[in-house]
Every structure is written in C-alpha cells, then in structure tokens.
Amino acid sequence: MPPIPGSGLAKGLAVTLRTMTKKTVTAQYPDVQPDLPPRSRGVIALFEENCTVCMLCARECPDWCIYIDSHKETVPAAVPGGRERSRNVLDRFAIDFSLCMYCGICIEVCPFDALFWSPEFEYAETDILELTHERDKLRDWMWTVPEPPALDPAAEEPKEIAAARKTADKLRTQREQEAAEREAAAQAADAQNAAGQNAAGQEAADREGTQEGQE
C-alpha cells in the first residue's frame, strides 16, 4: 500500500507537539553539581598505604599511562637473631589522563585495593602536558571515593563471609558442647559428693544405733 501523501510530515509534527507539551529541564551546571551514579568513572584515585609497588597495574595498562618509581629499604629484624627484610617504598605514582581510556583494568587487577574509581570529573587543563597527575593529586581524589553500595538483599552471600560464618558457628557449637560437658561433669561430681555425704551420714547413724543397742 503506497504511503499517504503528507504522512511523514504529520508524524514529525506529532513528535514536535508531544515534545512541546513536556516540561523542560535545564541542568544548572556549574552552579548546581550533577547527581552522578555511584559507579561513575570520573578519575582514578590512589590509596598509597595499600600500594606494594607490585607494578601489576602498570604492566596490565593497555595505554602504558601509569608511571611508578620506587626504591628498596632494609627492615631490621623484628626479634633478636632474626633476619633482615627488604621492602619496596613508593617514590612516584603518576597517571597520564591524556592517554588513559578509563578501561578500569588497573583497578581490577590491583590485588591490594590501592586504586579506586572516583566520581570527580572537574580536572580539565589548558595544557595537555598538565594532565599527568602525581600521587599527591591522586591521593586527594581518594577522599571523594563514595562508599560501596549495599548488597542486594536477595544476593548470594559472599564466599569469604560464608566461610567465616561457618567457622564461627563451628567454634560456637564446640564451645557450647564443652560448656555442656563441664556442667554435666560438675553436676555428676555434686551428685557423687551428695551421695557420699548421705552414705557417711547413714553409716554414722548406723554406728550410733549399734552403740545404743549394745548399751
């Protein structure tokens, strides 16, 4: 069936009329900050206390935009006669956000939870060379990282928590059994003592009765 002449124009006007009747919403940025989703990928923040300089984030980064420098320090032995140990000390941790494609691989592969997503997004620069931010700036962004969202009530319990709960329940059951055994042993001891006292009392009464009979 051939299209009716002017049907396309009528559809376009209908869309226009529907849009005209809707209330317009204007984002008053920058006077009013936008309400970003909790998992927004704004910028990468560094919690350097957790960083062990394992270099895993730098090796896995597909853009090679993470720069890490470190040195080794000798840690004295904790006990006399113990062995000295060496540890890596972080000197520099920088990210070139002009190269970063916000894939999040560095955050995913970090085994010590040293990198996090921050919703901060106002870090534009007039010079591309100034988009390489050092660890001080990355540390400042750490305080803008939101708390993790609560788990879905219907979600499966994490395996770590389930294992810890199972161990705690096992220890609690074991302690309850030990307490019950101690209580039963105490009751048995009390009953034995009471039976001994009754037997001693009965024996004394028998002796007194025998003496009276002899007299």
Side-chain angles (χ1 to χ4, degrees), residues 60-194:
E60 296 295 332
C61 177
D63 293 329
W64 292 86
C65 63
I66 300 177
Y67 310 109
I68 300 176
D69 292 331
S70 66
H71 69 278
K72 288 186 177 293
E73 286 186 356
T74 301
V75 180
V79 296
R83 187 183 64 179
E84 294 182 347
R85 298 182 180 274
S86 62
R87 66 183 182 93
N88 293 321
V89 179
L90 183 66
D91 293 329
R92 185 194 183 201
F93 194 108
I95 299 178
D96 187 354
F97 287 97
S98 66
L99 297 177
C100 179
M101 65 179 184
Y102 303 90
C103 62
I105 292 178
C106 57
I107 297 175
E108 295 295 331
V109 301
C110 179
F112 302 104
D113 291 334
L115 297 175
F116 297 87
W117 278 119
S118 166
E120 182 68 31
F121 62 93
E122 295 177 325
Y123 55 95
E125 301 290 347
T126 56
D127 188 355
I128 193 174
L129 298 178
E130 296 179 359
L131 282 174
T132 301
H133 295 290
E134 301 292 335
R135 66 174 182 174
D136 293 337
K137 186 64 174 179
L138 302 180
R139 176 60 183 267
D140 291 339
W141 281 327
M142 183 63 207
W143 312 122
T144 64
V145 175
E147 295 183 0
L151 294 177
D152 188 347
E156 182 180 356
E157 189 177 38
K159 296 181 179 179
E160 296 82 1
I161 297 179
R165 192 186 308 279
K166 183 178 180 181
T167 303
D169 293 341
K170 184 177 179 180
L171 290 175
R172 183 172 60 253
T173 303
Q174 183 177 358
R175 290 172 182 172
E176 291 175 354
Q177 290 178 354
E178 292 176 354
E181 292 175 358
R182 287 195 298 268
E183 184 177 359
Q187 291 177 356
D190 293 340
Q192 186 176 2
N193 292 334

Side-chain angles (χ1 to χ4, degrees), residues 199-215:
Q202 185 65 34
E203 184 179 355
D206 293 342
R207 284 199 302 269
E208 291 178 359
T210 303
Q211 292 176 359
E212 290 177 358
Q214 291 176 355
E215 292 175 354

Side-chain angles (χ1 to χ4, degrees), residues 1-25:
M1 180 178 179
I4 301 175
S7 61
L9 178 61
K11 291 180 180 179
L13 292 175
V15 173
T16 302
L17 291 174
R18 286 197 303 270
T19 305
M20 289 176 60
T21 57
K22 293 181 180 179
K23 181 181 179 180
T24 58
V25 178

Side-chain angles (χ1 to χ4, degrees), residues 41-63:
R41 295 189 176 189
V43 74
I44 299 173
L46 171 67
F47 190 53
E48 60 181 282
E49 283 80 359
N50 287 353
C51 181
T52 61
V53 200
C54 65
M55 304 294 291
L56 191 59
C57 56
R59 290 198 300 267
E60 296 295 332
C61 177
D63 293 329

